[in-house]
Amino acid sequence: MNITNYDDEVVSSFNSTYAVNQSQLSVYNATVAPQGSIPISTAGIYTLKYANPNCTYAANLIVIKTGPYCTCDANDPNNVKLSCGVDFAESSVQPNNPVFTWTNGTSVAKEQQPVPSQISTYLRRSTSQLPIASNDAATYQCQLTFNATQPGPLSYMALGAPTFTASCQISNCLGVTTANPSTAAPLNCTGQNLTNTVVYENTSSSFPRLDNGQSVQWSVVPSSEFFNSFHVITDPSSGDVVSQFNSSYAVTSSQLTILNSTIVPQGSASYSTAGLYRLDYLNPNCTTGANLIVIRSGPYCTCDASDPNNIKLACAVDYGESGAQPNQPEFTWSNGTAVVREDQPVPSQTSTYMKRSTSQYTIASNDPTEYRCQLTFSPASSSPWDYVDTSAPNFTASCSVYNCGLQPAPQNPPPAIGAKSDTSRSEFLSSDIEDGQTTTQATTIVLSIVLACILNSTVVLSFWYFCCCGSPVDSTGSNSRRRIVRKIFCFWLNE
């Protein structure tokens, strides 16, 4: 199926699934099965064709739903088995199969590439087993990678192995019953669960953990990672932040600190820090996860009164988060006395890394009420990883808007009836300076009147009155200077 044509535009049926520019194709949501109105999953073989020069390349997009997950079967003390599994989807044409490497801290105990089984219409499962002695209390770690693509019907297919690694671990297996592979690890990390968190961009934040003296492993699905793949933040053996993430995180025995909350990769960092975080405890053996949602701007309130019969208030937020198990923005509109609207609009992808959610509320054209919009976030879903916190983040923020659509008061209201206008004299003067009269002439007239006031001379005043008020005005305009003087002087005397 064609995603784009040669014009670098995504075809309409895939607008909500992909974005394209001159440097990359972005997959908004990596899926193992069709979702919503999208008729296909996004896992599969992707082909890139260049028009000039004429050449073709292809590669697999493998999507993991769950895993790797480590389990233990100690029902038979004489036949204790460790298992490591992964549930995933990919094209079967020229697949990259899972590879499992078991280590016990000092050496490689087993390396295996089992044949995957089809467990549903879209999903495959690959499982590796390692028998151990009944009295073996060692910690075993299972590392998951994928093998290189083998030559096949597509000669232009990339034959390398994906750059991917993830792991799980298990210890003290004796007496532990088999876990359900779909849940991976015990879900109840009482007192140790991570909680969904909302912060603003370019601030620091943290996820606390239980300091129980045991080693843990932190990992993340960054919001800038479109394939929902976990990236290891800390080394499980040393507990230190891996070099790739040195500029983004700091870790102690009690918390993971996000040094800068980002939506877009910055500086030397390869990924954003908004995303879904996972914490694996060694003992007790449990896994917990939570979202870090990063807000760039919002909530911000706006008003559209361009149509007096359809005035709309809007409340929006721009943010970044992992698309795996999101907490969606929720808006609550109130008018001071009651809630008038509750809304959870579907967010739109406004850029490669950014989402926007906007709620609208329509009001009457003569409504002066102040409306307040409160932003919160919804609970998260429990799929695909049911160890992820499903609660709503402890976050609230608001904005308000009022007088939307009403005519603003005049900046310079006209004087009341019977009152004098402060501009009457200046308007009188400007209306009577005719063409041909210069600024110098007008200034001379005003100065002469001021001189008369200073001298307080009856002679001078009589002279001016005779010249201005006693002489006829030439209606042809040739004696315009006298006409101006007369009007100004008589107006001033009468005042």
Side-chain angles (χ1 to χ4, degrees), residues 181-348:
S182 65
T183 59
L187 303 181
N188 185 19
C189 297
T190 305
Q192 308 172 56
N193 288 315
L194 301 182
T195 56
N196 296 321
T197 304
V198 179
V199 297
Y200 280 90
E201 192 176 25
N202 297 324
T203 61
S204 62
S205 53
S206 64
F207 281 112
R209 54 152 288 204
L210 178 67
D211 186 1
N212 58 2
Q214 299 293 327
S215 61
V216 299
Q217 183 178 65
W218 291 94
S219 50
V220 62
V221 179
S223 63
S224 57
E225 166 65 75
F226 300 107
F227 304 134
N228 288 348
S229 299
F230 278 100
H231 295 263
V232 174
I233 298 173
T234 57
D235 186 315
S237 56
S238 67
D240 297 329
V241 176
V242 299
S243 58
Q244 179 186 16
F245 289 118
N246 271 337
S247 63
S248 302
Y249 302 100
V251 67
T252 67
S253 59
S254 60
Q255 68 178 19
L256 173 74
T257 299
I258 296 93
L259 300 177
N260 190 17
S261 301
T262 60
I263 298 172
V264 178
Q266 295 184 3
S268 60
S270 304
Y271 303 99
S272 66
T273 52
L276 187 143
Y277 286 77
R278 169 175 165 162
L279 174 60
D280 290 288
Y281 286 91
L282 172 63
N283 188 19
N285 181 28
C286 68
T287 300
T288 178
N291 283 312
L292 177 65
I293 303 148
V294 178
I295 295 176
R296 169 166 288 182
S297 58
Y300 48 89
C301 291
T302 57
C303 161
D304 180 4
S306 56
D307 181 357
N309 298 316
N310 189 27
I311 295 178
K312 293 180 179 178
L313 309 182
C315 183
V317 60
D318 298 329
Y319 67 104
E321 71 166 344
S322 169
Q325 289 172 238
N327 298 92
Q328 305 280 25
E330 293 183 324
F331 301 91
T332 303
W333 289 92
S334 60
N335 61 4
T337 57
V339 172
V340 295
R341 178 175 170 81
E342 291 180 329
D343 194 17
Q344 186 181 322
V346 177
S348 60

Side-chain angles (χ1 to χ4, degrees), residues 113-153:
Q113 185 180 314
V115 177
S117 60
Q118 198 79 28
I119 60 173
S120 69
T121 305
Y122 304 104
L123 206 57
R124 295 179 172 189
R125 175 174 295 164
S126 186
T127 305
S128 172
Q129 289 190 331
L130 177 68
I132 61 170
S134 60
N135 61 348
D136 190 345
T139 297
Y140 284 88
Q141 180 167 308
C142 172
Q143 184 182 66
L144 168 67
T145 56
F146 286 82
N147 72 345
T149 308
Q150 300 302 308

Side-chain angles (χ1 to χ4, degrees), residues 4 47 90 112:
T4 67
T47 302
E90 71 170 342
Q112 188 179 20

Side-chain angles (χ1 to χ4, degrees), residues 24-38:
Q24 68 179 16
L25 172 73
S26 299
V27 184
Y28 283 147
N29 190 17
T31 57
V32 299
Q35 291 188 3
S37 61
I38 309 303

